[in-house]
Amino acid sequence: FELHYQPMVSVDTNDILGCEALIRWNHPARGLVSPGSFLPLAEETGSITELTRFMLEQACEDCKSWEGDVSVSVNLSAVDFRGSQIGEMVRNALSRSRLEASRLEVEVTESAILEDQYTASSMLTELKKTGIRVALDDFGTGYSSLSYLHNLPLDKVKIDQSFVRDIVSNDR
């Protein structure tokens, strides 16, 4: 497994503000395999936690070597978010890499918070206490509720493309 980084660029200055860590499986025969092909199985078997740990540690280590205050964003699976280890994994990754917590952002999807908003809010609050930022990813894909934006300790909301795809051309 290896990480690739998708830059997040300021539309005003064209500066790279951060990068999103994207995991790929570098298969010896098939080449780079997209996460849609292996992450569902990893979640089903429970091995997603080890992939998340790898992503957090590698992304923090890589980000530490980047110039300026460019940040890194790591997606958390709904399975990991419900587990009790995620706070410890974040703290360990930051400690090992000596990355400033403010340069790490974690992304959670609506599906990760749908089941129990109270537990989700508690987990996100715990994560924010480490100094990292928290983003809600793919807002608008599921049972989107604006109450999430009010009730959860979020720093960023990433609106899903399906929600805004036709925003310029659709009168509605």
Side-chain angles (χ1 to χ4, degrees), residues 151-163:
N151 297 329
L152 297 172
L154 301 170
D155 297 294
K156 182 190 295 183
V157 177
K158 294 175 68 177
I159 299 172
D160 187 73
Q161 66 176 334
S162 65
F163 199 66

Side-chain angles (χ1 to χ4, degrees), residues 83-128:
S84 60
Q85 299 177 20
I86 198 65
E88 181 182 345
M89 286 194 298
V90 166
R91 286 187 297 276
N92 286 342
L94 289 170
S95 176
R96 285 188 181 126
S97 66
R98 295 189 177 131
L99 180 70
E100 297 169 38
S102 62
R103 293 179 64 190
L104 176 62
E105 177 177 270
V106 294
E107 297 184 20
V108 295
T109 60
E110 282 184 79
S111 61
I113 59 175
L114 272 177
E115 289 179 17
D116 184 353
Q117 273 196 51
Y118 177 78
T119 301
S121 183
S122 296
M123 178 62 73
L124 293 176
T125 300
E126 177 190 340
L127 288 170
K128 291 221 12 117

